[in-house]
Amino acid sequence: MDEFRINLVNSIWLQFEDVVYKIKPQRSGILKRSKSEEKVILKGISGIVAPGEMLALLGPSGSGKTTLLTALGGRLGGNLSGTITYNNKPFSNAMKRNTGFVTQDDVLHPHLTVFETLLYTALLRLPKTLTRAEKAEQAEAVISQLGLSRCRDSAVGSHVVRGVSGGERKRVSIGQEMLINPSLLLLDEPTSGLDSTTALRIVATLRELVNGGRTIAMTIHQPSTTLFYLFHKIILLSEGNLLYYGKASVALDYFSTIGFAPPLAVNPADFLLDLANGVVSGDSRVDASAIKGRLAAAYAANLLEGVKAELGRGDDSSMMNDKKVNKWSNSWWTQFSVLLVRGMKERRHEHFSTFQIAQVVIVAIVGGLLWWNTNITRLQDQVGLLFFTSAFWGFGAVFQAVFTFPQERAMLEKERASGMYRLSSYFLAINMGDMPMGLVLPTAFFTMVYWMARLKPSPNCFFYGLLALLYSVVCTQGLGLAIGALVMKLKSATFFASVIMSAFTLIGGYYVQHIPKFISWIRYLSSIQHTFKLLLASQFSDDQTYPCAPGNICRVADFPAIKPVGLHGVAQSIIAMALMLVVYRLIAYFALWRIGVPTK
């Protein structure tokens, strides 16, 4: 492929008329009002963006820019009214396939390279009619078009992982959307946090894309004079009100005609933002609310009629027939396999970080030395080691898994909103990828401690105990996933997981051996107790004895630290843990349904 395909099949006329958006503020605290007034975020916004035009949404923070852009991208649920059409048709699967949306924050996997990031996006978003090689060529073409060849094989990085520069990272985000060759491209603050030169380069690149027939709209905060005049049209918002819609080149002339002439040598964007804030240069005595009211009234009197007349120009002849468009670009199996490989490449850094490995090795060595060469005469020590192993990996597995979905939330919201994959393929890929990686360190730990402590030197006993521990880790991972998916806030999820696992530890049968009957049922929910039972069964048998006193032999099953848990009921524990393994993951799966899909 010599160059990226920029010849568009469809031209998109984006039109929006009388768009109103309301929300009910969330009140926190013990005392809450039973009724709360709705807050109007957008107040009857209208406009049109034609193919080959680039629109800038300007306004101070809180003016409604991002809300309007999100509505135009078909991603805003809730109390939204008015009309938004694409070639005189509502948003649809066909339109989603032709729309690219770049969020303000660069939501990228930090450990993947630039090429890997774009390749996996291409494999998921480009249609199944293209081969893998053709999708890889598309990724290479986008890299070349956006000037990313120099950093092609560099890690994307983040604020904690060293990688490419901020401008390059932003171009990678734009490149992900350019892969689908979108007719409509929406960008939220694409120049945020970038220096003026980098910002100019990015907007100039977008201006070149417009020349291919695309329709582009973006929010932008305080662009330079050069940037300002790269836009064909601008919208100026203030507290949800429309103060100006029209060509960027005549914006200052319009405000001069209504009595707000700019000073000489002023940045047009700075002047317009001052007006949107109700600030008039050289006159600090004028009430800001009055200025905003005058500007909104002037728009209604001078521009609104022209905007209404301009609406309805879109041509619906080029729009795809939505009935012929499948919701998903690729099969379930393709989505699963791509997500599995991508997830394992990214998350291996978390599972096998230097800190994680050092922590496990150090604890294993210390534990092996503390329980060095235990034998049946030190039965209490052996039982203590088995319980410590159960508790240590119960906590470890939960805390490894509880971070998964809170950390993935932004990525899941972004990709689900773009229709990249089914939730089921993503969820199963996460589980299948994390499961084997999560078993490596427990295996290393158990192997080191087992032979250092000289537990029963039998291969059968060793593998029985190892399988019991790994089974426990897989089960407890599900609990961590469920907590993370339900709570979705790292601090809250961590606290919640700590409380649950502490309770499971206390009722695990080692610390409290005589649990009151009215609360004893909780022990059946404790994965730590079930793991403890399985580990005990791997080392001891019901008829085994030990020297309990000089000259006396006692049954191991009657040992005070073993008797409450018992060596029987192994099958029940296996079944109980199997139910936990499935139920916890089902809870996590259904909890994720609310992520990334706007509610209309």
Side-chain angles (χ1 to χ4, degrees), residues 232-348:
H232 298 92
K233 291 179 178 177
I234 64 168
I235 277 180
L236 180 63
L237 295 172
S238 176
E239 298 178 354
N241 291 300
L242 189 52
L243 304 186
Y244 178 78
Y245 161 81
K247 294 181 179 179
S249 57
V250 299
L252 296 187
D253 294 336
Y254 162 73
F255 285 105
S256 295
T257 61
I258 61 172
F260 296 94
L264 296 176
V266 67
N267 179 343
D270 290 342
F271 174 70
L272 296 182
L273 288 174
D274 284 344
L275 291 181
N277 282 308
V279 177
V280 178
S281 179
D283 192 350
S284 59
R285 297 170 298 174
V286 181
D287 180 57
S289 299
I291 294 294
K292 297 175 187 177
R294 285 177 56 189
L295 292 170
Y299 165 79
N302 299 293
L303 298 178
L304 182 58
E305 186 176 346
V307 175
K308 298 288 186 182
E310 189 179 0
L311 293 169
R313 290 172 52 198
D315 178 14
D316 60 6
S317 62
S318 64
M319 192 64 187
M320 295 174 64
N321 186 350
D322 191 36
K323 294 182 180 180
K324 298 180 181 179
V325 178
N326 192 288
K327 185 177 181 181
W328 309 107
S329 300
N330 293 280
S331 66
W332 186 95
W333 177 253
T334 298
Q335 294 171 6
F336 167 76
S337 57
V338 173
L339 290 169
L340 178 63
V341 174
R342 186 185 75 171
M344 292 186 72
K345 277 194 173 184
E346 173 62 29
R347 292 178 57 75
R348 65 185 177 184

Side-chain angles (χ1 to χ4, degrees), residues 456-508:
K456 188 173 282 188
S458 163
N460 289 338
C461 294
F462 168 75
F463 285 110
Y464 184 171
L466 177 60
L467 289 176
L469 179 62
L470 298 184
Y471 185 43
S472 167
V473 168
V474 172
C475 169
T476 316
Q477 280 178 341
L479 176 59
L481 292 174
I483 294 173
L486 287 169
V487 180
M488 277 296 179
K489 293 181 179 179
L490 286 178
K491 287 185 177 180
S492 300
T494 303
F495 174 77
F496 194 31
S498 299
V499 171
I500 291 178
M501 293 308 296
S502 295
F504 283 176
T505 301
L506 291 175
I507 61 175

Side-chain angles (χ1 to χ4, degrees), residues 145-146 171 200-210:
Q145 186 182 25
L146 295 179
R171 277 181 278 165
L200 178 60
R201 185 181 296 119
I202 287 176
V203 176
T205 301
L206 294 171
R207 176 67 184 240
E208 292 175 5
L209 298 178
V210 164

Side-chain angles (χ1 to χ4, degrees), residues 313-490:
R313 290 172 52 198
D315 178 14
D316 60 6
S317 62
S318 64
M319 192 64 187
M320 295 174 64
N321 186 350
D322 191 36
K323 294 182 180 180
K324 298 180 181 179
V325 178
N326 192 288
K327 185 177 181 181
W328 309 107
S329 300
N330 293 280
S331 66
W332 186 95
W333 177 253
T334 298
Q335 294 171 6
F336 167 76
S337 57
V338 173
L339 290 169
L340 178 63
V341 174
R342 186 185 75 171
M344 292 186 72
K345 277 194 173 184
E346 173 62 29
R347 292 178 57 75
R348 65 185 177 184
H349 298 277
E350 182 176 339
H351 282 278
F352 304 120
S353 66
T354 303
F355 175 78
Q356 287 280 74
I357 295 173
Q359 171 184 281
V360 170
V361 170
I362 291 172
V363 173
I365 292 175
V366 172
L369 293 175
L370 287 174
W371 279 282
W372 182 265
N373 285 341
T374 60
N375 52 53
I376 197 66
T377 62
R378 295 169 57 189
L379 185 57
Q380 177 64 45
D381 287 349
Q382 286 192 338
V383 174
L385 172 59
L386 297 178
F387 186 80
F388 168 76
T389 301
S390 305
F392 178 73
W393 284 108
F395 275 87
V398 163
F399 283 104
Q400 183 73 39
V402 79
F403 291 100
T404 299
F405 294 129
Q407 290 178 338
E408 287 267 323
R409 177 171 186 165
M411 183 67 70
L412 184 58
E413 287 179 338
K414 169 189 170 182
E415 295 183 337
R416 286 268 289 155
S418 299
M420 288 178 65
Y421 45 73
R422 299 167 178 85
L423 180 61
S424 57
S425 60
Y426 165 81
F427 186 79
L428 192 59
I430 283 287
N431 278 271
M432 295 300 291
D434 280 5
M435 199 175 293
M437 291 191 293
L439 301 180
V440 174
L441 293 181
T443 301
F445 173 91
F446 189 79
T447 302
M448 294 174 64
V449 170
Y450 192 94
W451 299 109
M452 290 177 71
R454 278 189 64 189
L455 295 176
K456 188 173 282 188
S458 163
N460 289 338
C461 294
F462 168 75
F463 285 110
Y464 184 171
L466 177 60
L467 289 176
L469 179 62
L470 298 184
Y471 185 43
S472 167
V473 168
V474 172
C475 169
T476 316
Q477 280 178 341
L479 176 59
L481 292 174
I483 294 173
L486 287 169
V487 180
M488 277 296 179
K489 293 181 179 179
L490 286 178

